[in-house]
Amino acid sequence: MQITVKRLYKTDTSTIGELLIDGVFECFTLEDAERKVKIKAETAIPKGSYKVIINESNRFKRLLPLLLNVPDFEGVRIHSGNSNHDTEGCILVGQTMNKNYIGQSRKAFDKLFKKMQAAKDITLTILS
């Protein structure tokens, strides 16, 4: 499975994008703001391609997608949430979007996660 996150709208606090699976739109994304200098828990991960696995999150106490080998970041996951207050470098997903906000996040995550669990190999590429 090839997941692509296209970052579309950037503000001082967040970045809204769209998530595609094998080139087909799946949902919207919300990340922290892109910054030239990393600020812990307030900065989007670097553009690039990352292998994704599904494993147990100690923080969330459930299975979640984990991006591997993200430079200068640890524990970057894909999960539900609505604003930059819900992410510390992770990628949030939602079915609706507005400035600095995504909605219907749990519905979007559940649909996406089911597809990810069925995949054998997952790569996620972030584009700006």
Side-chain angles (χ1 to χ4, degrees), residues 107-119:
K107 288 171 89 174
F109 177 80
D110 291 345
K111 183 179 173 192
L112 172 63
F113 190 57
K114 188 178 222 181
K115 291 177 181 181
M116 293 179 80
Q117 286 182 300

Side-chain angles (χ1 to χ4, degrees), residues 1-14:
M1 171 185 285
Q2 175 61 52
I3 297 175
T4 304
V5 172
K6 291 184 179 180
R7 292 175 174 163
L8 301 174
Y9 309 106
K10 301 168 187 176
T11 71
D12 291 341
T13 58
S14 71

Side-chain angles (χ1 to χ4, degrees), residues 3-11 14-20 25-32 34 44 91-103 108 125-128:
I3 297 175
T4 304
V5 172
K6 291 184 179 180
R7 292 175 174 163
L8 301 174
Y9 309 106
K10 301 168 187 176
T11 71
S14 71
T15 304
I16 300 283
E18 59 184 16
L19 184 145
L20 311 169
F25 177 82
E26 176 71 18
C27 59
F28 294 103
T29 61
L30 186 141
E31 301 173 78
D32 284 317
E34 284 186 292
I91 299 171
L92 308 179
V93 294
Q95 291 184 338
T96 63
M97 67 98 174
N98 206 327
K99 183 179 180 181
N100 297 317
Y101 182 87
I102 55 174
T125 301
I126 296 178
L127 309 171
S128 274

